[in-house]
Amino acid sequence: MLQWLLSSITFTLWGELIRSQMPSQEDLRQGVPITWLVHVPIGWIKEIALVGLFGGFLLLLPARAVGISWGPGQAFREADGTRRKMIAIALFLTLLLFVSERALNVFETFVVPPHISGLVGLIILFVSTLLLRVIELLTLYILAQTVSRLFVMKTGWTPERELPERFAPK
């Protein structure tokens, strides 16, 4: 919810900034170029900023998963010493997603012949989208694995092994 709220605020403010920097209709008719702000990848910048903002709170997720009732502030304090690692890993994986998305776009634009359409075109589009989703899931898995290992390293947490009744010693 917080990410959605920050995204909405970011895009609203960015839209207002672009609107304020845009030339008037008369200027456009006279050939004044459109400002560079339109071409800045604000979506990427927003994602990187959110990773930097929330990266220090990543220990909250495994703590909640194992039943430790940390709040965001406590998770941030407990991350002391591993916070930079978590932020760096999250930033790296975010950049990996951006690069893979861009590479797939380049592949679709330059490698796939433009005359391909119909069923073959749909199959290529489906495979490309599926590959991007697999890469997203792989990066999420790597992030979850890394954060859980940092959590165990930081807290020394070990799972309680409760055997089902049928396997319990008699």
Side-chain angles (χ1 to χ4, degrees):
M1 185 65 149
L2 186 56
Q3 182 181 4
W4 175 82
L5 181 64
L6 289 173
S7 297
S8 297
I9 291 169
T10 302
F11 283 125
T12 301
L13 291 175
W14 190 257
E16 290 300 317
L17 179 63
I18 288 177
R19 209 176 347 267
S20 71
Q21 298 297 316
M22 290 293 288
S24 67
Q25 291 293 333
E26 184 62 34
D27 290 340
L28 287 174
R29 279 188 229 120
Q30 293 176 1
V32 173
I34 294 178
T35 182
W36 62 271
L37 290 173
V38 176
H39 304 291
V40 173
I42 187 63
W44 292 9
I45 293 170
K46 179 208 51 128
E47 289 297 324
I48 291 171
L50 286 173
V51 165
L53 179 67
F54 291 118
F57 298 95
L58 285 176
L59 287 184
L60 179 65
L61 300 173
R64 289 291 172 105
V66 300
I68 298 174
S69 60
W70 288 349
Q74 180 67 25
F76 188 80
R77 285 187 295 280
E78 292 292 333
D80 192 33
T82 60
R83 192 175 305 121
R84 287 184 183 173
K85 291 177 188 177
M86 288 188 299
I87 292 172
I89 290 165
L91 282 173
F92 171 74
L93 293 173
T94 301
L95 291 175
L96 179 67
L97 280 174
F98 291 151
V99 168
S100 61
E101 181 181 352
R102 182 60 62 190
L104 285 173
N105 287 340
V106 167
F107 174 77
E108 290 174 357
T109 304
F110 294 113
V111 176
V112 177
H115 66 277
I116 291 181
S117 61
L119 184 59
V120 175
L122 288 175
I123 290 172
I124 290 173
L125 181 62
F126 174 75
V127 169
S128 173
T129 303
L130 183 64
L131 184 59
L132 184 60
R133 297 302 168 247
V134 167
I135 292 170
E136 286 175 354
L137 289 173
L138 181 64
T139 56
L140 285 174
Y141 172 77
I142 292 169
L143 180 63
Q145 179 71 14
T146 306
V147 169
S148 65
R149 288 195 179 268
L150 286 172
F151 173 76
V152 169
M153 181 181 72
K154 182 70 178 171
T155 63
W157 179 84
T158 56
E160 295 176 11
R161 303 234 184 233
E162 292 185 22
L163 296 174
E165 284 184 30
R166 63 182 177 171
F167 297 118
K170 295 181 182 182

